[in-house]
Amino acid sequence: MIPLVLVHGFMGGSAQWDLQQDRLARDRPLIVVDLPGFGENNSAPPIDSIPGFADWVVAHLDSLGVTRFHLMGHSMGGMIVQQMARQAPDRIDRLVLYSTGVVGILPGRFETIAQSKERAAQDGVKPTARRIAATWFLDSKTAPKYEACARIAEQTAPAAFDAGLDAMQNWSGAEALGAIRSETLVLWGDGDRTYPWSQTEKLWQGVPDAQLAVVPGCAHAVHLEKPMLFNTLVSDFLAER
């Protein structure tokens, strides 16, 4: 059975996938990672480039003896898995690009990367992490899963905060979209404040074998806002045909 590898985004962690464990693990093994500087791996030296993150994930899978896999990336994790599709195309079966885009400068984001850095320098990383996590939910801080998500975001190491923003700002996958060979699902919440529709449309139109799922009434964290629908969409996409 081909496993599904889940790659979280900026200020995320493996714990954010708790609502996916039962449903998505029903049909295949799940491999969840904590990127260096984030989540339960926040003591590891941070990485400041998307290719560097991709190399780390591939090396981690090598250490587990995993040679072929389905791959899902959320937000910054979506950039990482696009990069992995460049670096290890023969190892990826199906690909899920979730709430992500083709460039890391995040045009239309709720604030610029420079502003996020300034706020973190002024207010500290933990308060900034909680503030940014609120933008991931349509209902902001009143969303049922906000607090759990914010606690994961708070684990981000200060050096990893800046390094992650630098990694995104300096990356573009636009020119490589047409070379992605895996069957791909592009999944997006229609209220996303981080990635506008223009970014999602470029993924959908640019990847040769791409399907699109737009979830209404969700922001950046569809997997936490509407987990049953999210899990059904991903499970159906990965189902054997």
Side-chain angles (χ1 to χ4, degrees):
M1 184 68 68
I2 300 174
L4 170 61
V5 179
L6 305 179
V7 182
H8 66 78
F10 181 62
M11 297 195 306
S14 60
Q16 76 175 46
W17 303 109
D18 285 352
L19 296 180
Q20 280 62 60
Q21 295 283 352
D22 288 343
R23 179 63 186 91
L24 296 186
R26 193 179 303 169
D27 301 316
R28 64 196 52 81
L30 291 187
I31 299 172
V32 295
V33 302
D34 284 284
L35 296 170
F38 300 95
E40 296 179 7
N41 199 18
N42 62 1
S43 62
I47 294 173
D48 64 359
S49 74
I50 297 301
F53 278 118
D55 287 341
W56 184 90
V57 177
V58 170
H60 178 68
L61 295 173
D62 287 344
S63 73
L64 299 176
V66 176
T67 58
R68 189 160 179 81
F69 44 86
H70 301 306
L71 186 61
M72 176 160 63
H74 176 227
S75 194
M76 183 180 79
M79 302 176 196
I80 294 168
V81 302
Q82 288 177 66
Q83 187 70 35
M84 290 173 66
R86 295 188 203 181
Q87 297 173 204
D90 295 333
R91 298 177 64 174
I92 301 167
D93 192 316
R94 292 178 188 161
L95 180 66
V96 181
L97 302 178
Y98 160 41
S99 292
T100 190
V102 300
V103 292
I105 54 174
L106 310 181
R109 186 176 183 250
F110 59 90
E111 67 185 18
T112 67
I113 285 177
Q115 287 170 331
S116 291
K117 285 187 173 184
E118 290 170 6
R119 293 289 297 273
Q122 293 171 3
D123 304 334
V125 169
K126 286 189 176 182
T128 301
R130 294 186 66 86
R131 178 181 62 80
I132 291 176
T135 71
W136 299 340
F137 296 87
L138 204 62
D139 295 329
S140 191
K141 293 182 179 180
T142 64
K145 295 300 179 182
Y146 162 73
E147 187 58 40
C149 190
R151 285 197 296 269
I152 297 170
E154 284 182 309
Q155 293 181 282
T156 301
F161 184 91
D162 283 346
L165 290 176
D166 288 340
M168 289 188 284
Q169 184 163 278
N170 296 324
W171 179 84
S172 173
E175 294 182 358
L177 287 181
I180 293 177
R181 301 205 300 263
S182 301
E183 184 179 353
T184 300
L185 173 65
V186 177
L187 198 157
W188 180 71
D190 68 353
D192 197 331
R193 300 181 182 95
T194 304
Y195 294 89
W197 164 248
S198 59
Q199 286 287 294
T200 301
E201 185 179 26
K202 287 178 181 177
L203 287 174
W204 175 41
Q205 297 291 340
V207 176
D209 190 5
Q211 303 173 32
L212 174 67
V214 176
V215 181
C218 289
H220 192 54
V222 180
H223 67 296
L224 299 174
E225 293 178 287
K226 293 192 176 180
M228 291 182 64
L229 180 53
F230 178 90
N231 294 345
T232 298
L233 288 168
V234 173
S235 294
D236 178 71
F237 174 67
L238 297 179
E240 296 297 331
R241 291 174 174 80

